Amino acid sequence: MPDQSLIQVEHLYKEYYTDAGSVPVLKDVNLEIRKGEFVAIMGPSGSGKSTFMNILGCLDLPTAGRYVLDGRDVGTLQKDALAGLRNEVIGFVFQGFNLLPRANLVDNVALPLVYAGVDKEERRRRSEELLAKVGLATHGHHAPNQISGGQQQRVAIARALINKPRLILADEPTGNLDTSTSEEIMKLLSDLNQHDGITIVLVTHEPDIAAHAGRMVQFVDGKVTHDGAITHGGIEGVQA
Amino acid sequence: MISAMVSEAWRAMSANRMRAFLTMLGMMIGVAAVIMMLAVGRGTQYAVEQSIAAMGSNLFIVLAGSQTTTGVRIGTGNAPTLVAADADAIAELPEVAGVAPISPGSAQVVYGSNNWGTIATGTTASYIDVGNWKVEEGEMFSDADVRSASRVVVLGQTVVKNLFGDESPVGKTVRISQSPFTVIGTLASKGQSLDGRDQDDTVFIPLVTAQRKVFGNNFRGAVRFIMVKATSAQAMPAAEEAMTSLLRQRHRLTDRRPDDFTIRNLTAAANTAAATTKAMSLMLGAIASVSLLVGGIGIMNIMLVSVTERTREIGIRIAIGARERDIRLQFLLEAIFLSLIGSVVGVAMGVGAAAIANAVANLTVVVTVGSILLAFFVAAAVGIFFGYYPANKAAQLKPIDALRYQ
C-alpha cells in the first residue's frame, strides 16, 4: 500500500496571463507522492507553492503537463467530474478556516456530504461523530464565530475528513494560530496520517510545522529545488 | 439535497430579513396590483355583460323619423311614421323572432296617498320576450287586453317600491292620468341599463290603452319605436335589409326619397361596449404587470448583491465538491423563495383590497381564480427568470478566484 502512487505530476507548467504578458509560475515540476505520505511543501512567497497546491486540489488547471490523482488524469476531466473528485478524494484545510459563518458546526462539517448526495440522518450522524473525534462534541450547535480559531480549524479538519478522503491538502493550516494551538492541530494531522493512513500535503513556511511531516519539498522560483526525507532533528540542507 | 438547499435558502434569507422583506415587497405590490386591476377590469366587464344580458340579444330598434336632421322635415314628432301595423308586418318576416311596438310617455301613477312620476310604456304582450323581461308576480297583460284597451298595468320594481313599499300590489287599483288601472303583475328587477338609466322605473300598459286613453295621441295607431328581435346573430344583417325594404314599401317611399325611419342595431352597440371594457381590462392588467417586472428586477438586483457578498462562501462550496448546477440551484431557490413568498402575500393583499373595494367603494370588483393563478405563476416565472442570471453568475465563478475574494 504505501508504495502506491496517489499523486503523479509530470512536466507541470503554469502561466498566468496579464496585460504585460504571460508570467510563468511553475516551470517543469515533477513530483510523485505515494499513498500514506506526509509531505510538507516549503518555499518563499511567490515560489509557486500555493499555485501548485491549487492544481493538486483540482481548483486550478495547469497550462501544460500531466497530473494524475488517484489513477485519474485530471487534465481530461470536465468541471463537474473535478467537483466530484474534490468531493470524494480530497479534504481541504485552509489557513483562514473557511467555515460558513451562518451555518452551525454540525452543518459546516456535513456540507461535503450534501454534495455527495448523502441523506440528512446519515449526514448528521457522521458529522457529530467527527466533531467528537476533534474534541468538539458539545459544540455542534454553535456558530463558527462563537468558538476560537484553533477550534475552528479543528472543525475544518472534521469537514475535510467527513467524506473519507484519501488526501488532505492543508494550505498553511496553522498560519492564523498561536504556537501551542498550532502544535495541537499538527498533532491531529499527524494522527490522521499515522493511524488512518490518510495522505497529507501541507504548505507551510515554518520549519517547526514542516518537521511533523516525513518528507519535505522545497519550491524556489517555480521549481522544485529540494525533495527529501525529514529526519529527526531538523531538515537537512534547507533554509526556510 | 433539495431539502438541505431549501433550508440553506431560508437561512440566507433570514440572515438579511429587512432586505428580503423589501425585495419581496416589490413582488407583493406587483402581484396585488395585477390581481386588483384584473378584478376591476373583470368587474366592469361583468357589469356590462349583465346589462347586455338584461337587454336581450339580437335586438333592433326601429325609430320613427329620419336620421338626417338637415332642414325642417315634416313627420318628426308631429307626423309619426310608424304604426302598430308596421310592427305586425315586420313580425311576419322569417328573420324576425319577435316584435314589440312601443309608445312611451310620462305618467303620474297614484296609489292611495302615494304618487310617483314614471314612464308608462304602452306595448304588447310580446315585449316581455323581446325586451328580455321577467314577470315577478302576477302576469303580463294579453293581446286581448291590448285589443280591448283594458285598463290593466304591470309595474316595474322601482314603482312598486315607491308606491307600495312591502305591500303586494297585484289586484290593487292605481290611477294613471286620472283613470283607474288594475295592477295585474310586477316585473322582475333588471337594474341599470348600459347608459345608467333605471330600467325598473316604468309601468307597462296595453298599447291601445296608452294610445287612446292615456296619451291622447291624434294619430291612431302611431308608435314611437318598435323593438325587433332577430332569430339569430347571423340573421341580423338579412333582417335589417328585409325590414328596410318592407317599411319603404309600406310607407310608399319612392327611390329618391330617404327613409322615414331609422333602424338601430342595439346588439352591435352593446358588443362594442363589451369589447371596450375587455380592452380596458387587458390594459389595466398590462399596466399592473409592469410592476411585476419591476419587482423581478428588484429580485435580480438583490441576488446579484447576494452573490457578490457570498463569493467566498461560493468558493468554499465549490472547493468541497459543489457542482455548477448545485450552486445555480441554490441561488435560484433563493430567488424563487423571494418571489413565491412575495406573491403569496401579494395574492392575499390583492384579494383583500378587492374585498374592501367591494364593500366600501361599492365597486363591482370580481377576483377570479384565473387571475390569481395568472398573477402567481407570472410572479414565479419572474423569480426564475430574474434569478437565473445571478445564480448562473455564481455557478460560473472560478474556485480559486472565489476563495481568494475578501
Side-chain angles (χ1 to χ4, degrees):
Chain A
M1 271 295 276
D3 288 314
Q4 264 184 294
S5 168
L6 181 69
I7 289 172
Q8 213 174 341
V9 173
E10 291 166 7
H11 306 298
L12 200 73
Y13 290 82
K14 179 69 186 180
E15 291 177 6
Y16 285 118
Y17 301 96
T18 64
D19 293 341
S22 70
V23 180
V25 181
L26 295 176
K27 305 161 190 167
D28 194 20
V29 174
N30 292 278
L31 195 70
E32 189 187 14
I33 294 172
R34 290 179 302 282
K35 286 185 180 163
E37 277 197 282
F38 189 163
V39 182
I41 294 177
M42 300 191 74
S45 311
S47 62
K49 61 185 193 305
S50 285
T51 301
F52 184 65
M53 277 295 266
N54 286 336
I55 292 172
L56 286 189
C58 304
L59 296 169
D60 203 358
L61 291 171
T63 312
R66 209 162 95 95
Y67 168 32
V68 179
L69 172 63
D70 197 34
R72 271 166 282 190
D73 187 343
V74 171
T76 63
L77 299 177
Q78 300 297 310
K79 237 180 138 180
D80 281 358
L82 290 175
L85 202 60
R86 287 195 296 269
N87 186 252
E88 290 159 26
V89 179
I90 308 170
F92 290 93
V93 180
F94 304 95
Q95 178 177 2
F97 322 133
N98 277 345
L99 300 175
L100 299 187
R102 282 193 307 270
N104 66 28
L105 302 187
V106 172
D107 287 346
N108 258 296
V109 172
L111 194 60
L113 296 183
V114 170
Y115 299 115
V118 174
D119 71 61
K120 199 175 176 180
E121 283 308 305
E122 176 74 1
R123 288 205 302 264
R124 179 173 199 84
R125 193 185 63 74
R126 271 158 71 177
S127 174
E128 279 171 351
E129 196 180 292
L130 277 169
L131 277 174
K133 181 169 176 164
V134 299
L136 291 166
T138 56
H139 293 62
H141 293 282
H142 286 58
N145 62 9
Q146 291 172 307
I147 58 175
S148 72
Q151 286 171 320
Q152 286 190 48
Q153 194 59 297
R154 280 192 273 160
V155 173
I157 290 170
R159 180 180 68 188
L161 290 172
I162 195 151
N163 208 14
K164 304 187 176 83
R166 258 148 287 176
L167 172 67
I168 284 183
L169 296 178
D171 194 351
E172 308 233 16
T174 58
N176 288 3
L177 303 174
D178 62 49
T179 316
S180 68
T181 319
S182 294
E183 275 303 309
E184 282 174 32
I185 293 296
M186 287 317 296
K187 256 189 208 112
L188 184 55
L189 287 175
S190 298
D191 224 42
L192 291 170
N193 176 248
Q194 278 158 25
H195 292 104
D196 302 309
I198 297 171
T199 310
I200 297 178
V201 179
L202 167 88
V203 167
T204 181
H205 55 257
E206 292 169 73
D208 292 352
I209 297 299
H212 288 88
R215 176 182 169 192
M216 204 281 291
V217 175
Q218 167 103 13
F219 273 74
V220 175
D221 198 20
K223 287 179 188 151
V224 176
T225 56
H226 174 94
D227 183 358
I230 295 170
T231 54
H232 279 289
I235 306 163
E236 291 163 13
V238 177
Q239 303 82 39
Chain B
M1 178 100 136
I2 283 285
S3 77
M5 287 193 177
V6 167
S7 60
E8 185 52 48
W10 182 254
R11 193 147 58 196
M13 260 176 35
S14 354
N16 276 304
R17 280 201 195 110
M18 189 61 179
R19 198 161 84 181
F21 171 73
L22 289 175
T23 309
M24 286 190 275
L25 193 61
M27 274 331 263
M28 288 177 206
I29 292 172
V31 170
V34 167
I35 287 179
M36 192 58 202
M37 289 294 131
L38 286 177
V40 169
R42 187 81 196 96
T44 314
Q45 226 177 313
Y46 180 75
V48 168
E49 277 164 14
Q50 286 253 301
S51 308
I52 291 170
M55 187 182 83
S57 52
N58 310 331
L59 283 186
F60 289 106
I61 183 162
V62 183
L63 293 137
S66 171
Q67 200 167 18
T68 325
T69 52
T70 47
V72 182
R73 188 178 291 277
I74 48 155
T76 311
N78 288 326
T81 52
L82 283 177
V83 291
D86 286 332
D88 295 339
I90 290 170
E92 300 298 316
L93 292 171
E95 296 88 354
V96 170
V99 296
I102 289 165
S103 189
S106 54
Q108 203 69 17
V109 185
V110 182
Y111 173 70
S113 58
N114 296 334
N115 73 96
W116 182 250
T118 186
I119 309 281
T121 306
T123 188
T124 61
S126 58
Y127 188 42
I128 290 286
D129 180 46
V130 173
N132 203 30
W133 290 93
K134 282 188 184 64
V135 175
E136 173 123 329
E137 214 188 330
E139 56 181 17
M140 178 66 172
F141 48 76
S142 66
D143 287 336
D145 289 324
V146 175
R147 276 194 300 276
S148 62
S150 309
R151 292 182 194 272
V152 289
V153 64
V154 179
L155 305 180
Q157 282 305 322
T158 301
V159 179
V160 173
K161 208 186 308 161
N162 283 289
L163 291 183
F164 291 89
D166 295 332
E167 206 180 328
S168 171
V170 175
K172 306 277 164 40
T173 300
V174 295
R175 298 181 76 82
I176 300 173
S177 300
Q178 322 305 328
S179 311
F181 278 73
T182 306
V183 178
I184 58 166
T186 62
L187 297 165
S189 176
K190 233 181 174 186
Q192 289 189 352
S193 68
L194 280 176
D195 54 13
R197 206 164 34 81
D198 177 10
Q199 300 178 96
D200 298 324
D201 190 3
T202 189
V203 299
F204 290 0
I205 54 177
L207 180 67
V208 179
T209 315
Q211 287 168 331
R212 291 188 193 157
K213 295 172 182 166
V214 181
F215 305 138
N217 199 312
N218 295 328
F219 301 92
R220 280 212 147 189
V223 295
R224 184 80 60 82
F225 57 91
I226 303 170
M227 280 190 88
V228 180
K229 186 183 171 79
T231 49
S232 67
Q234 288 75 30
M236 291 196 75
E240 186 168 353
E241 219 166 283
M243 278 191 289
T244 305
S245 60
L246 177 74
L247 288 176
R248 285 187 68 87
Q249 194 192 334
R250 284 182 55 82
H251 296 181
R252 299 195 171 82
L253 299 174
T254 58
D255 287 350
R256 287 175 43 232
R257 290 181 63 195
D259 294 347
D260 61 356
F261 55 89
T262 303
I263 299 176
R264 263 196 234 145
N265 185 331
L266 287 184
T267 304
N271 287 345
T272 308
T276 308
T277 49
K278 194 167 188 175
M280 188 195 76
S281 164
L282 276 177
M283 198 183 71
L284 285 176
I287 292 170
S289 54
V290 170
S291 52
L292 265 185
L293 195 72
V294 175
I297 293 170
I299 288 182
M300 176 141 103
N301 190 16
I302 220 64
M303 288 312 295
L304 281 173
V305 171
S306 180
V307 167
T308 307
E309 273 181 358
R310 287 150 71 192
T311 299
R312 199 180 173 81
E313 175 197 320
I314 295 164
I316 297 168
R317 288 174 184 274
I318 295 175
I320 63 172
R323 288 155 299 187
E324 267 186 49
R325 62 168 179 273
D326 298 325
I327 301 291
R328 193 182 300 125
L329 183 63
Q330 185 193 331
F331 283 90
L332 207 49
L333 271 176
E334 232 176 281
I336 292 171
F337 251 56
L338 287 171
S339 68
L340 272 191
I341 296 174
S343 26
V344 168
V345 178
V347 165
M349 275 166 54
V351 172
I356 291 171
N358 257 332
V360 178
N362 202 19
L363 271 170
T364 315
V365 176
V366 180
V367 179
T368 59
V369 175
S371 73
I372 292 176
L373 289 180
L374 180 81
F376 191 75
F377 283 111
V378 167
V382 161
I384 293 170
F385 181 81
F386 286 104
Y388 188 83
Y389 174 73
N392 205 44
K393 197 179 164 198
Q396 300 288 341
L397 283 173
K398 287 206 175 94
I400 42 166
D401 296 340
L403 275 173
R404 255 188 238 130
Y405 187 87
Q406 290 305 316

